Amino acid sequence: EAGVVQSPRYKIIEKKQPVAFWCNPISGHNTLYWYRQNLGQGPELLIRYENEEAVDDSQLPKDRFSAERLKGVDSTLKIQPAELGDSAVYLCASSDQTGIYEQYFGPGTRLTVT
Amino acid sequence: RKEVEQDPGPFNVPEGATVAFNCTYSNSASQSFFWYRQDCRKEPKLLMSVYSSGNEDGRFTAQLNRASQYISLLIRDSKLSDSATYLCVVILGTGGFKTIFGAGTRLFVKA
């Protein structure tokens, strides 16, 4: 079974430029999460989707961040414009709605804003 | 106060040692608890769930104390391959759940 797929793996951009990250969750997983992880910290939830619906976006900086999950499968997270403080690893995870809500993570996208 | 706090670490232990990590959480509505492991520059992976009755998986034992609002992870007979960051995870509520990760505890196991 394929795991969570993310692209790109690495991205270097200048501040004020836009950037987008893509995630394809494990087949059949209804719940999709986007996290941001700064060095030495745990992942911080940005947004959670149940199918197409964003059910928790309270931590998403909505002035510059946006996300979508059309058709309830893959998802895109966008930053526009990027700031120096956005440099981090952006992780996507998915889970099904049974059992213990185990989250499976993708390899992440390491973003560097210069 | 952070919602989930962990021992700062790093823990440096020799092979074969027993090491324990603690994690405290502030929200009594916390429903589910997990330990994840994260290797350097890799994604987090589920290590084990934590149940009120305790949970053991080989050399790893996780326990939950709801009254004191903390969870623990015990690793016996440490191996070099146990070197990683251990993340405590708390999920609030049931239907409208929210996932909160601790900052992680770094473990180095040395030969």
Side-chain angles (χ1 to χ4, degrees), chain B residues 64-79:
Chain B
L64 166 65
N65 185 317
R66 286 191 182 272
S68 300
Q69 296 186 189
Y70 78 84
I71 67 173
S72 63
L73 177 67
L74 182 77
I75 305 175
R76 292 180 297 276
D77 188 23
S78 298
K79 310 293 184 188

Side-chain angles (χ1 to χ4, degrees), chain A:
Chain A
E1 180 183 271
V4 176
V5 179
Q6 289 188 248
S7 68
R9 292 294 308 278
Y10 304 91
K11 190 73 176 180
I12 301 174
I13 61 171
E14 294 183 345
K15 62 182 180 182
K16 300 184 182 180
Q17 294 301 307
V19 64
F21 315 124
W22 177 79
C23 172
N24 189 259
I26 291 173
S27 177
H29 281 192
N30 298 324
T31 307
L32 183 146
Y33 314 75
W34 281 104
Y35 290 89
R36 175 172 58 191
Q37 186 172 24
N38 291 305
L39 189 64
Q41 299 296 314
E44 174 194 16
L45 181 68
L46 294 174
I47 190 168
R48 174 170 66 93
Y49 282 94
E50 296 289 348
N51 299 305
E52 309 84 13
E53 184 182 0
V55 296
D56 182 1
D57 63 356
S58 57
Q59 298 291 96
L60 190 72
K62 297 180 184 63
D63 57 337
R64 298 183 300 106
F65 286 65
S66 64
E68 60 182 12
R69 192 184 184 197
L70 301 176
K71 301 181 182 179
V73 182
D74 56 350
S75 175
T76 302
L77 177 69
K78 298 178 181 178
I79 308 175
Q80 182 171 10
E83 297 179 352
L84 295 176
D86 295 331
S87 295
V89 176
Y90 290 83
L91 293 161
C92 178
S94 69
S95 67
D96 63 25
Q97 290 184 303
T98 61
I100 62 170
Y101 299 108
E102 177 180 354
Q103 296 181 33
Y104 295 83
F105 284 82
T109 297
R110 187 172 297 273
L111 174 67
T112 302
V113 182
T114 64

Side-chain angles (χ1 to χ4, degrees), chain B residues 22-78:
Chain B
N22 288 322
C23 169
T24 58
Y25 60 94
S26 60
N27 194 324
S28 59
S30 300
Q31 201 78 14
S32 305
F33 309 87
F34 305 91
W35 284 101
Y36 275 70
R37 170 192 168 128
Q38 187 171 26
D39 292 297
C40 189
R41 301 180 76 87
K42 297 288 188 181
E43 70 272 22
K45 292 184 179 179
L46 180 67
L47 178 64
M48 58 196 311
S49 306
V50 188
Y51 305 123
S52 297
S53 56
N55 188 24
E56 185 173 320
D57 183 4
R59 298 181 294 107
F60 298 82
T61 300
Q63 292 191 314
L64 166 65
N65 185 317
R66 286 191 182 272
S68 300
Q69 296 186 189
Y70 78 84
I71 67 173
S72 63
L73 177 67
L74 182 77
I75 305 175
R76 292 180 297 276
D77 188 23
S78 298

